[in-house]
Amino acid sequence: MHIAIDTGGTFTDCIYIEDAALKVLKVFSTPEDPASAVVEAVRTASNRTTQSLRHGTTVGTNVLLERKGARVAFVTTAGFEDIISIGRQARSHLYDWFATPPACIVPAEMRFGIAERTASDGTVLRRPQDHELRELVEKVSVSGAESIAVCLLFSFANPENEIAVARALHSLRLPISLSHVILPEFREYERASTVTVNAYLGPKAGGYLQRLDANLRRLSLCSGFDVMQSSGGIIPAAFAAEQPVRTVLSGPAGGVTGAYRMARMAGFSRIIAFDMGGTSTDVCLVDENEGGPRSTSDAQISQMPVSVPMLDIHTIGAGGGSLARFDKAGILHVGPESAGANPGPICYGRGTQPTVSDANLILGRLHPEHFLDSKVRLDHDRTRLYMEKERGSMATVEEFSTGIVLLAEAAMERAIRVISVERGYDPREFTLVAFGGAGPLHACALAQALQMHRVLVPSCPGALSALGILLADTVRDYSKTVMLKSDADLGSHFAGLEELAAKAPQFEQTPGVMTRSLDLRYAGQGYELNVPFGPDFLQSFHQLHQKRYGYADEQKTVEIVNIRLRVTAPGEDFNLPSFTPRDGDASQAIIETRPMIFAGEKCAGKVYQRERLEAGDRLYGPAIVVEYSATTVVPPGWNTLVDAYKNLVMEVNQ
């Protein structure tokens, strides 16, 4: 049996293949011990013949966002101890006089310098002396460090001194993260930040993966598992425990992968993936004409650069559990704080503060008796009682609920504009693929606000991230800064990366496909563009520069800054069964007609059971479609076609 599990803020989603069919299981997340929910899901789904287990984890993400990582000792070249705090001169809020950056995750007393120096060409100018190394070890030993990050100047060009420092610190028996291993690239601040984040996450995120592995083996549920990394590929859990910085967007990357695969199957090549869960919303633009999901090595998580490859995903704090509140001026706000899994929304029976899910229940867009296949009953009376207490100056609970939903949707609309309009893409040319437990509730409203004409709600929308993890390829990324002219011979440089890749244990049985690429820039520029390596890579660079920045200069010198190698082994080969569409009115799937509220107006809407819908059925709003993993809202003026794969394809009535 093949199982994939994605841990979310409210639910832990499990998807598995049994008898050539996809099965979905959702259990409540256990934030105090995420492994408990994972073990419960595997135990419930598994028949003790688990062949493979894959996992998308939010532990690393949460540690960074909550700033609850390890106490890190940062070791660098003497004189550069404060680079991790100084960073770059760019300010995220240029005109905000009161903006205060978050405190550095490495306090001043935990930054240590060692007298050494390597030149930019890799020449070792000064080696650390034995007595200096002993003194460094003593300082780190008494500092209370729980983890160590080592980032020496130009160690990417020659790691000799960094290896010597690591060898001396090894006696402390603390986890050590080395910059020439984590990120052998130039830009000392970004490299320092990335290796420090890895050390910061190590004891908690890495320890979590090690404990989960031990628990699963002890219970004989599986003999090891793999983890989704931020770049959209699978890596072994042991490697993820060593380099947890590669998993900070683990779950969202699974969602993008799943959305891309399902959309391609349905015939849509240009999509905006919209994943709304209980705590956050993740959006990503994917254009198959540009090679599918796009990666970036220039991401920031919790205002810290993380320069390992990851999918270009934009995340905001808006989900079904986002809390609604009034400020002192009486203005309504929604999020980014969330009720999470504990206590959860009011309607789950424990929470007392209004959330987006509670608002959807009041507006008739969630059915109290058809949630999680009736395994959880939403408490409508309790929700109305508490929302009545919290509605402030709003005239009615319904008006309060409408305001909550509109504010949440405005935040999500802005997020989609960031990854489309602000980057030169017209969202009207894309299909909005909605998934996550709450995504299909708001998809049509967002599409209408952005003038998008089509929404796709795939099968198993509430567990699509887990499906993406299940279907993802095994991937390893390697890189190296070379700083060469565009006519340089790169053969030996790529050969070194390929030699490293050949030693990776996940490719011993199934050799991976190696893909080369280059980071290029015009001489004098500060940042690069990545293009595939091939005979016409220069022309590709000029064309991409023209598209991204509006100009190109083919007469100007081009520099090769970094070389990159991606090794890929194909993932699970699974296609959903297809059905011959009929001409149906979906009447066989109607459960009931009940009151709903859209744009402040009450109306009667039909409730459909998704499992009863047949390919070719067409239904019209106002309506909701209920299923185990999510609820889909079809507003007035929209129609829905069930395609051959039983996806819901929704369009505005013409």
Side-chain angles (χ1 to χ4, degrees):
M1 178 181 289
H2 302 283
I3 300 176
I5 294 178
D6 174 43
T7 300
T10 305
F11 290 101
T12 293
D13 302 326
C14 173
I15 199 161
Y16 54 100
I17 300 175
E18 187 175 65
D19 299 327
L22 281 179
K23 302 294 180 67
V24 179
L25 171 69
K26 294 176 81 75
V27 300
F28 279 105
S29 294
T30 50
E32 66 286 351
D33 181 17
S36 296
V38 175
V39 170
E40 179 187 348
V42 176
R43 195 200 306 265
T44 304
S46 175
N47 55 11
R48 294 192 177 273
T49 59
T50 303
Q51 296 173 331
S52 69
L53 172 64
R54 292 178 165 190
H55 180 30
T57 173
T58 57
V59 171
T61 316
N62 294 338
V63 167
L64 269 185
L65 295 178
E66 297 171 6
R67 297 297 181 102
K68 293 182 178 179
R71 184 171 170 83
V72 177
F74 176 65
V75 179
T76 188
T77 305
F80 291 82
E81 293 89 345
D82 294 327
I83 191 172
I84 189 66
S85 177
I86 295 171
R88 298 288 178 188
Q89 66 178 1
R91 294 172 56 184
S92 55
H93 303 285
L94 188 59
Y95 300 107
D96 185 351
W97 291 92
F98 301 100
T100 302
C104 180
I105 60 175
V106 182
E109 67 272 14
M110 296 299 293
R111 305 169 199 160
F112 304 95
I114 182 75
E116 67 82 38
R117 184 55 64 95
T118 299
S120 60
D121 63 358
T123 303
V124 176
L125 303 177
R126 189 189 194 285
R127 291 177 172 81
Q129 302 300 305
D130 289 344
H131 72 278
E132 295 169 334
L133 289 172
R134 288 194 296 270
E135 184 179 344
L136 172 67
V137 171
E138 178 62 26
K139 289 179 179 178
V140 174
S141 175
V142 300
S143 69
E146 300 169 325
S147 184
I148 302 172
V150 183
C151 180
L152 304 185
L153 207 62
F154 294 111
S155 62
F156 63 87
N158 184 345
E160 181 181 327
N161 283 354
E162 203 164 87
I163 292 171
V165 170
R167 189 179 297 118
L169 292 169
H170 182 71
S171 61
L172 297 178
R173 300 187 180 278
L174 294 174
I176 303 175
S177 299
L178 303 177
S179 71
H180 77 273
V181 174
I182 305 295
L183 188 70
E185 299 178 20
F186 88 129
R187 290 199 177 96
E188 61 273 20
Y189 170 56
E190 286 74 12
R191 183 160 50 93
S193 176
T194 302
V195 72
T196 300
V197 167
N198 192 77
Y200 189 69
L201 299 178
K204 287 199 174 181
Y208 158 74
L209 293 174
Q210 292 170 347
R211 290 192 303 274
L212 177 59
D213 183 56
N215 287 343
L216 292 170
R217 292 176 185 272
R218 178 174 54 81
L219 297 171
S220 301
L221 293 174
C222 72
S223 58
F225 66 100
D226 296 319
V227 175
M228 187 70 169
Q229 57 182 326
S230 306
S231 64
I234 295 295
I235 52 176
F239 180 67
E242 292 175 5
Q243 297 194 17
V245 69
R246 297 185 182 274
T247 69
V248 290
L249 289 181
S250 176
V256 172
T257 303
Y260 176 55
R261 292 282 289 265
M262 297 293 279
R264 283 181 61 192
M265 200 181 302
F268 303 113
S269 59
R270 306 183 79 199
I271 67 168
I272 293 176
F274 165 53
D275 177 8
M276 182 180 178
T279 304
S280 62
T281 291
D282 307 300
V283 294
C284 180
L285 186 143
V286 181
D287 190 342
E288 191 169 9
N289 300 328
E290 298 180 355
R294 185 170 55 200
S295 293
T296 179
S297 297
D298 186 27
Q300 286 210 355
I301 308 295
S302 190
Q303 299 187 41
M304 288 179 288
V306 177
S307 295
V308 295
M310 59 181 65
L311 294 184
D312 194 3
I313 298 169
H314 182 57
T315 302
I316 61 169
S322 292
L323 296 171
R325 69 189 188 285
F326 291 94
D327 63 18
K328 292 181 180 179
I331 298 173
L332 178 62
H333 297 268
V334 177
E337 298 84 3
S338 173
N342 187 16
I346 298 170
C347 57
Y348 289 4
R350 289 180 294 180
T352 58
Q353 292 182 269
T355 67
V356 175
S357 292
D358 298 315
N360 278 311
L361 179 63
I362 293 295
L363 297 175
R365 303 178 191 182
L366 284 175
H367 197 298
E369 305 293 341
H370 293 276
F371 188 76
L372 283 185
D373 202 22
S374 301
K375 290 182 171 62
V376 175
R377 184 187 181 281
L378 302 181
D379 194 331
H380 186 279
D381 293 339
R382 185 177 192 273
T383 302
R384 177 171 286 278
L385 175 66
Y386 278 95
M387 291 193 70
E388 181 70 40
K389 295 178 181 178
E390 300 290 337
R391 65 180 172 85
S393 61
M394 297 288 191
T396 64
V397 171
E398 286 75 14
E399 183 179 312
F400 181 30
S401 299
T402 299
I404 292 172
V405 169
L406 288 176
L407 281 177
E409 289 174 349
M412 293 183 284
E413 179 191 342
R414 287 194 298 271
I416 293 175
R417 289 185 182 276
V418 167
I419 55 107
S420 59
V421 177
E422 293 185 14
R423 299 183 184 178
Y425 295 92
D426 186 344
R428 294 173 296 184
E429 299 174 358
F430 291 77
T431 296
L432 186 66
V433 180
F435 55 102
L441 282 166
H442 302 272
C444 289
L446 288 176
Q448 201 151 358
L450 293 159
Q451 300 181 44
M452 300 175 71
H453 306 297
R454 184 184 302 110
V455 171
L456 174 70
V457 179
S459 299
C460 310
L464 193 69
S465 292
L467 177 61
I469 294 168
L470 185 70
L471 302 179
D473 298 333
T474 298
V475 173
R476 281 287 298 270
D477 290 290
Y478 301 87
S479 63
K480 179 183 179 183
T481 293
V482 292
M483 291 293 185
L484 297 171
K485 293 182 178 180
S486 59
D487 59 355
D489 181 9
L490 299 174
S492 61
H493 295 287
F494 275 117
L497 296 186
E498 290 169 358
E499 184 178 345
L500 281 175
K503 298 176 182 177
Q506 59 266 49
F507 300 116
E508 290 179 350
Q509 297 181 345
T510 306
V513 176
M514 296 187 180
T515 305
R516 299 174 171 183
S517 67
L518 306 174
D519 289 350
L520 305 177
R521 68 182 182 187
Y522 291 124
Q525 285 186 319
Y527 291 89
E528 307 78 45
L529 294 174
N530 181 263
V531 298
F533 177 59
D536 59 347
F537 72 85
L538 277 177
Q539 189 60 35
S540 298
F541 168 71
H542 294 308
Q543 291 173 353
L544 181 57
H545 202 281
Q546 176 71 44
K547 180 174 182 179
R548 185 70 58 85
Y549 300 114
Y551 75 97
D553 186 352
E554 297 190 13
Q555 305 305 314
K556 196 159 187 172
T557 301
V558 176
E559 295 177 333
I560 303 172
V561 178
N562 300 312
I563 62 170
R564 299 188 183 277
L565 180 72
R566 169 164 285 198
V567 190
T568 306
E572 188 75 18
D573 186 16
F574 177 80
N575 290 315
L576 290 175
S578 61
F579 303 88
T580 302
R582 63 172 194 164
D583 187 11
D585 60 3
S587 57
Q588 80 285 350
I590 296 175
I591 298 173
E592 63 173 310
T593 299
R594 67 193 311 267
M596 302 176 187
I597 299 175
F598 291 94
E601 300 293 330
K602 281 190 176 182
C603 56
K606 292 183 174 62
V607 180
Y608 293 85
Q609 183 73 48
R610 184 163 185 179
E611 288 78 7
R612 299 181 192 172
L613 291 173
E614 300 291 342
D617 280 350
R618 191 176 290 276
L619 53 101
Y620 299 86
I624 62 173
V625 181
V626 298
E627 60 181 302
Y628 175 64
S629 67
T631 296
T632 300
V633 170
V634 187
W638 284 73
N639 70 83
T640 300
L641 173 69
V642 184
D643 72 3
Y645 295 99
K646 294 193 175 182
N647 300 309
L648 303 181
V649 183
M650 302 190 285
E651 297 180 334
V652 179
N653 293 337
Q654 300 298 324

